[in-house]
Amino acid sequence: MQSPVNSAPKKLYRVLSLDGGGAKGFYTLGILMELEAIAKRPLCEVFDLIYGTSTGAIIASLLALGKRVAEVRTLYETYVPTVMKASSDVAKSRELERLASAVYKEAAFTDLKTGIGIVASRSSTEIPMIFKNEVGRAKLRAATFVPGFGVKVADAVVASCSAYPFFVPKFVTTSNNERIELLDGGFCANNPTLFAITDALKIAERTDIRVVSLGVGHYPEPERRGWARFKHNFFLSRLLQKTLNLNANSMEELREHLFDDIPTVRISKTYSEPHLATDLLEHNLTKLSELHQRGRESFAPHQAILETWLGSEVEGSERGDSRS
């Protein structure tokens, strides 16, 4: 008996996009723990492309290097409090550099086990700089493409995390000996899903792409008193955090308008409980552990569709789109 035409299952092109948000990345790790559990393998073997901004860049790069989610959480528990408790922008940047050196060592973009995009912002020209490892996703100048512009993974990640005024700008030197000043990727794409989908379309058909977009959750603002309150307002920290939230939400609205035909699961819940008040500089591990728990709980409503997407193949016209 002859097999029906086009009866073979389709191969999906899976994309993972991770928002910025500093210490609130513990929420993202909670979701990823559940995602990895149903995948039953490292996420670098599941996703064809992983994009990340700021704390999302840290997680994305570690997953792309082959680390399991539990390993990444242990690193966060070890280093995040030290970085966030540092007393000044210079001290925070110094601790961030120390973290990157200890974790990534001399890792290059050619060492990554899946496609990646790490988003940073060029300070002088006010445009994005996205570190990639696959020439097929190069926007321009493919003939001269160098993975990660020749920059080490550690330096690209630090650049993506350099959120002024909390951190100082990061200077990187490319393979062309260009010295570039970079700021946090959240200034241009705190939610990098649009960039990720655009890159995926250079390689895959629209009908084959599935996107998992993870935020860091939304929480009440912590109460500050005395000098801490003055410093928070004086350095426009409050404005920065609102700007990053607005950026992430705007990117999601645009994604829904521009790519509504590409199945996407977006997870980033809003919480109003006063005891969850937090921001990107949180360093209380008890509270961060609770954010991790909330991330795991946020995964549950999307489990059925994600179990389908994480299989190696998909039959027929399966699709889905959900948001929380």
Side-chain angles (χ1 to χ4, degrees):
M1 180 177 177
Q2 187 175 9
S3 299
V5 176
N6 296 327
S7 61
K10 297 166 62 179
K11 174 69 171 67
L12 297 182
Y13 188 92
R14 304 178 185 88
V15 176
L16 177 63
S17 175
L18 307 176
D19 285 17
K24 293 181 288 184
F26 274 83
Y27 175 89
T28 308
L29 289 171
I31 303 170
L32 291 172
M33 175 174 283
E34 298 297 328
L35 201 61
E36 186 184 74
I38 64 172
K40 297 182 175 62
R41 59 196 191 277
L43 293 179
C44 66
E45 298 177 9
V46 177
F47 291 97
D48 302 281
L49 176 61
I50 305 178
Y51 248 75
T53 296
S54 198
T55 196
I58 298 175
I59 299 170
S61 56
L62 292 173
L63 295 179
L65 283 168
K67 291 192 179 297
R68 306 300 289 257
V69 176
E71 294 180 77
V72 181
R73 182 185 177 183
T74 297
L75 290 171
Y76 264 58
E77 290 172 338
T78 301
Y79 289 103
V80 165
T82 303
V83 173
M84 297 310 182
K85 283 193 293 188
S87 59
S88 68
D89 56 347
V90 173
K92 283 184 173 63
S93 293
R94 183 170 57 245
E95 291 299 326
L96 180 61
E97 293 275 5
R98 189 173 69 85
L99 177 162
S101 178
V103 172
Y104 297 99
K105 298 181 173 58
E106 297 298 315
F109 277 80
T110 52
D111 296 320
L112 302 177
K113 303 176 187 298
T114 191
I116 198 167
I118 292 177
V119 183
S121 305
R122 287 178 181 253
S123 178
S124 60
T125 55
E126 299 176 346
I127 60 173
M129 183 170 181
I130 304 178
F131 297 86
K132 306 177 184 181
N133 63 335
E134 295 177 333
V135 66
R137 295 185 293 105
K139 180 181 178 182
L140 299 169
R141 297 179 295 181
T144 58
F145 176 81
V146 176
F149 301 101
V151 173
K152 293 188 297 184
V153 174
D155 290 330
V157 168
V158 170
S160 185
C161 295
S162 295
Y164 179 84
F166 300 124
F167 297 84
V168 299
K170 170 69 175 177
F171 286 88
V172 301
T173 301
T174 70
S175 57
N176 290 328
N177 206 33
E178 298 171 329
R179 191 168 185 263
I180 302 173
E181 182 183 31
L182 296 173
L183 298 172
D184 193 288
F187 288 114
C188 59
N190 202 46
N191 169 358
T193 307
L194 281 179
F195 286 135
I197 293 175
T198 301
D199 270 10
L201 287 169
K202 297 170 186 171
I203 295 176
E205 298 293 331
R206 298 177 80 95
T207 54
D208 297 337
I209 297 171
R210 300 293 183 273
V211 181
V212 181
S213 173
L214 306 183
V216 295
H218 302 276
Y219 313 91
E221 185 177 339
E223 183 179 355
R224 294 176 175 83
R225 294 185 175 87
W227 171 247
R229 181 175 182 178
F230 171 77
K231 186 168 67 170
H232 176 66
N233 291 324
F234 181 79
F235 288 109
L236 302 179
S237 303
R238 186 175 185 180
L239 176 61
L240 171 61
Q241 292 184 75
K242 288 185 177 296
T243 299
L244 296 180
N245 288 339
L246 177 62
N247 180 296
N249 293 333
S250 297
M251 287 290 185
E252 175 57 14
E253 293 292 331
L254 284 171
R255 195 276 308 166
E256 290 183 334
H257 286 294
L258 297 175
F259 300 117
D260 63 330
D261 60 320
I262 295 179
T264 300
V265 167
R266 170 71 177 172
I267 307 177
S268 190
K269 291 190 68 173
T270 297
Y271 301 94
S272 59
E273 299 97 316
H275 76 280
L276 287 177
T278 192
D279 60 17
L280 59 88
L281 297 179
E282 184 63 62
H283 50 76
N284 182 322
L285 279 176
T286 300
K287 182 174 290 187
L288 293 174
S289 178
E290 184 157 2
L291 298 192
H292 186 269
Q293 294 171 36
R294 295 303 176 105
R296 295 184 65 186
E297 294 166 2
S298 299
F299 172 83
H302 311 278
Q303 181 169 339
I305 186 67
L306 291 175
E307 284 180 337
T308 302
W309 290 5
L310 297 189
S312 60
E313 299 162 329
V314 59
E315 297 277 356
S317 60
E318 173 275 326
R319 76 179 304 275
D321 193 284
S322 62
R323 177 179 179 182
S324 69

